């Protein structure tokens, strides 16, 4: 009896049909994989469709797994989708230095070695009045470095209401221990007073720490010492006050419904000796951690051996410099996508939903996300799609070359357009038209 395996095409023959679209190397790899798979299926007595499967594999092989995506979740700073998106000028600055050499650590005047931090130091000084500046890889690194450099072998005093876990295994108590300091927790979950700090602070205290409870809220009968109280105590005892403000808003966002988010300047003007925050949350720049404060402290951090492991690369610094220039010389709410998305009114978003013109336009609520402003929502509108399986539609949209992410609510797929750029609306239209017709 003829083996069904004989009916399979040769690898070369199968690859030939794919190589025009996908190139020789991908075509061969896909053909090999498809034929190996088919053999297994045939041995198990199952039927096979080799050509279609080979094309599917080739398509998967030829696209990167890390690719641009459309965020229609309504969560402005979506950690899984890369948090802040860059302003046009920041994107261009990255492209400029990515493909060539760059003035990363040169002194233009002398031609000798300079500091990579110099590209953003002056800009931060102008924007915030900070004495000195240090940029590291992310805010977790900033926390770790500040504690390791300033408090290793000593105690860090922190309120029990601020023992945060940020997500992705960043737990402040553990970070403090790993950085070589001892955590001295004071007060209770809901109420901590300055007298609790005063009692705990002694000879062996390396830092009075305040941490922004970025992703939770304690409400009801609550109390925390003010920054002013901490600063006064720190001055009296000669202990530095560190302030992890998390989101790093450079401008007041209360006109857009974001009440109570501390700005960087408020913390510095309030007297914190060293302040740190993320670059890719409310600041709207690249992933990095930014430390601002007293020159003496910042320079201690800069000289720490860990600094070499935490330093940012030229792409990050190019994006950050360009973003800061917008705050200084441009129009941040117009040019920085994170701020633009937060500032969009519900009516503007409704109009965008109508431009897409598919599905039903429904009112919904967006979030800022990214571990900032827990519980705060922004009124928004979404394109709502009612199909037999919202999960199947969501999956099909996620699997496109430019994936689209929405959210499922009560059996419907919602595409909240607050977080979608105007230029992406047409892509959503095309994707929905193609996907819906295939699903039916
Ligand atoms: C987000 C956050 C961090 C971690 O910042 P990454 O930039 O994600 O490393 C640390 N502390 C606070 C208070 C935060 O909100």
């Amino acid at each position: 009896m003829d083996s069904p395996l004989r009916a399979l095409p040769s690898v070369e023959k199968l690859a030939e049909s794919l190589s025009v679209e996908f190139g020789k190397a991908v075509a061969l790899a896909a053909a090999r994989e498809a034929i190996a798979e088919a053999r297994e299926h045939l041995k198990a007595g199952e039927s096979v469709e080799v050509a279609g499967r080979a094309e599917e594999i080739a398509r998967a092989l030829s696209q990167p797994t890390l690719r641009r995506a459309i965020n229609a979740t309504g969560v402005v700073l979506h950690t899984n989708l890369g948090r802040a998106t860059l302003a046009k000028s920041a994107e261009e600055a990255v492209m400029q230095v990515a493909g060539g050499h760059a003035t990363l650590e040169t002194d233009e005047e002398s031609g000798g070695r300079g500091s990579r931090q110099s590209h953003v130091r002056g800009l931060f000084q102008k924007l915030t009045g900070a004495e000195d500046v240090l940029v590291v890889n992310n805010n977790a690194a900033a926390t770790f470095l500040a504690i390791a450099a300033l408090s290793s072998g000593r105690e860090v005093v922190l309120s029990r209401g601020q023992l945060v876990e940020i997500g992705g295994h960043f737990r402040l108590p553990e970070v403090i221990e790993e950085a070589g300091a001892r955590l001295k927790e004071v007060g209770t979950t809901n109420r901590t007073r300055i007298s609790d700090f005063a009692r705990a602070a002694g000879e062996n205290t390396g830092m009075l720490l305040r941490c922004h409870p970025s992703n939770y809220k304690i409400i009801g009968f609550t109390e925390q010492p003010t920054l002013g109280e901490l600063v006064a105590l720190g001055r009296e005892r000669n202990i530095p006050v560190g302030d992890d403000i998390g989101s790093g808003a450079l401008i007041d966002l209360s006109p857009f419904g974001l009440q109570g988010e501390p700005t960087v300047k408020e913390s510095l003007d309030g007297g914190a000796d060293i302040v740190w925050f993320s670059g890719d949350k409310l600041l709207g720049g690249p992933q990095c951690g930014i430390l601002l404060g007293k020159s003496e402290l910042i320079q201690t951090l800069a000289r720490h051996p860990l600094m070499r492991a935490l330093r940012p690369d030229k792409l990050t610094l190019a994006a950050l410099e360009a973003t800061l220039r917008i705050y200084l010389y441009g129009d941040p709410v117009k040019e920085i996508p994170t701020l633009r998305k937060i500032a969009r009114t519900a009516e503007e978003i409704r109009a965008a939903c109508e431009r897409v013109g598919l599905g039903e336009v429904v009112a919904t609520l967006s979030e800022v996300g990214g571990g900032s402003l827990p519980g705060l929502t922004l009124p928004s509108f979404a394109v709502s799609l009612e199909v037999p399986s919202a999960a199947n539609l969501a999956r099909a949209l996620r699997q496109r070359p430019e994936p689209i992410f929405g959210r499922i609510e009560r059996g419907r797929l919602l595409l909240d357009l607050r977080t979608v750029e105007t230029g992406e609306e047409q892509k959503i239209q095309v994707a929905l038209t193609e996907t819906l017709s295939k699903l039916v």
Side-chain angles (χ1 to χ4, degrees), residues 83 138-141 143 164 166 170 211-212 214 244-247 278 280-281 288 370-371:
R83 282 203 192 148
N138 53 30
N139 198 34
T143 308
V164 306
I166 298 296
F170 180 88
C211 183
H212 187 268
S214 302
D244 177 358
I245 61 170
S247 284
S278 298
D280 56 348
K281 288 183 181 170
C288 61

Side-chain angles (χ1 to χ4, degrees), residues 118-433:
S118 68
H119 305 289
V120 295
R121 184 180 293 123
L123 295 168
F124 270 123
Q125 285 168 334
K126 285 192 190 122
L127 285 165
T128 67
E131 274 182 27
D132 213 344
V133 181
L134 195 67
V135 180
V136 293
N137 247 319
N138 53 30
N139 198 34
T143 308
F144 193 79
L145 180 64
I147 293 168
L150 302 177
S151 315
S152 152
R154 295 197 284 164
E155 284 177 356
V156 170
V157 189
L158 175 66
S159 162
R160 287 200 169 92
Q162 297 178 354
L163 296 169
V164 306
E165 172 177 315
I166 298 296
H169 306 291
F170 180 88
R171 302 175 122 190
L172 195 49
E174 289 164 19
V175 171
I176 292 171
E177 303 286 330
E178 281 300 316
R182 280 187 311 281
L183 169 65
K184 176 95 183 163
E185 25 176 301
V186 296
T188 61
T189 305
N190 57 324
R191 304 198 85 187
T192 303
R193 300 183 189 82
I194 192 64
S195 55
D196 296 315
F197 273 85
R199 234 174 299 124
E203 282 291 282
N204 206 22
T205 304
M207 187 185 293
L208 305 179
L209 177 58
R210 184 171 84 148
C211 183
H212 187 268
S214 302
N215 49 14
Y216 65 98
K217 226 179 183 142
I218 300 175
I219 54 167
F221 191 51
T222 64
E223 188 176 345
Q224 288 294 333
T226 63
L227 180 61
E229 289 173 329
L230 284 173
V231 167
L233 179 65
R235 298 264 156 87
E236 186 195 306
R237 310 274 176 96
N238 203 19
I239 303 169
V241 172
D243 196 11
D244 177 358
I245 61 170
S247 284
L250 278 184
I251 57 171
D252 175 20
L253 294 170
S254 55
F256 312 110
L258 272 61
Q259 261 75 28
E261 189 60 27
T263 66
V264 176
K265 202 164 177 323
E266 269 164 26
S267 174
L268 287 167
D269 289 351
D273 297 293
I274 182 163
V275 179
W276 58 91
F277 51 93
S278 298
D280 56 348
K281 288 183 181 170
L282 290 175
L283 189 145
Q287 178 195 302
C288 61
I290 296 150
L291 297 122
L292 306 180
K294 300 267 154 65
S295 208
E296 189 196 327
L297 302 183
I298 294 286
Q299 285 311 311
T300 305
L301 268 60
R303 285 191 302 267
H304 193 279
L306 263 176
M307 187 54 213
R308 177 61 191 242
L310 305 179
R311 70 181 190 182
D313 75 327
K314 64 174 178 175
L315 305 184
T316 303
L317 288 166
L320 184 59
E321 181 184 1
T323 307
L324 295 177
R325 284 179 171 280
I326 296 174
Y327 281 98
L328 209 52
Y329 307 119
D331 186 344
V333 178
K334 275 219 178 81
E335 295 174 57
I336 295 178
T338 299
L339 302 181
R340 188 164 64 222
K341 288 169 188 172
I342 287 170
R344 284 181 99 184
T345 64
E347 275 318 303
E348 283 164 15
I349 302 164
R350 185 215 285 265
C353 293
E354 273 153 15
R355 281 198 295 274
V356 168
L358 295 156
E360 192 189 340
V361 178
V362 299
T364 186
L365 297 169
S366 317
E367 287 172 47
V368 177
S372 55
L373 302 140
L376 187 129
T377 52
L378 301 165
S380 186
F381 279 90
V383 171
S384 165
L385 298 144
E386 198 167 5
V387 288
S389 165
N392 285 351
L393 176 58
R395 189 183 319 108
L397 292 175
R398 281 198 306 272
Q399 288 174 338
R400 293 177 60 84
E402 186 166 7
I404 298 168
F405 291 81
R407 63 172 201 273
I408 294 176
E409 250 179 53
R410 279 181 251 125
R412 290 160 157 238
L413 179 68
L414 295 191
L415 302 177
D416 182 337
L417 298 195
R418 173 178 295 281
T419 47
V420 171
E421 299 280 358
T422 315
E424 293 170 333
E425 288 167 13
Q426 210 198 343
K427 293 180 182 175
I428 289 187
Q429 240 172 6
V430 171
L432 282 179
T433 312

Side-chain angles (χ1 to χ4, degrees), residues 97-121:
V97 300
H101 294 285
T103 55
L104 182 61
E105 288 189 349
T106 59
D107 181 68
E108 281 172 32
E109 186 67 28
S110 68
R113 182 157 188 185
S115 161
R116 66 180 61 206
Q117 303 284 342
S118 68
H119 305 289
V120 295
R121 184 180 293 123

Side-chain angles (χ1 to χ4, degrees), residues 4 39-47:
R39 283 177 189 280
E40 294 305 311
H41 286 303
L42 288 173
K43 278 188 206 153
E46 295 158 8
S47 63

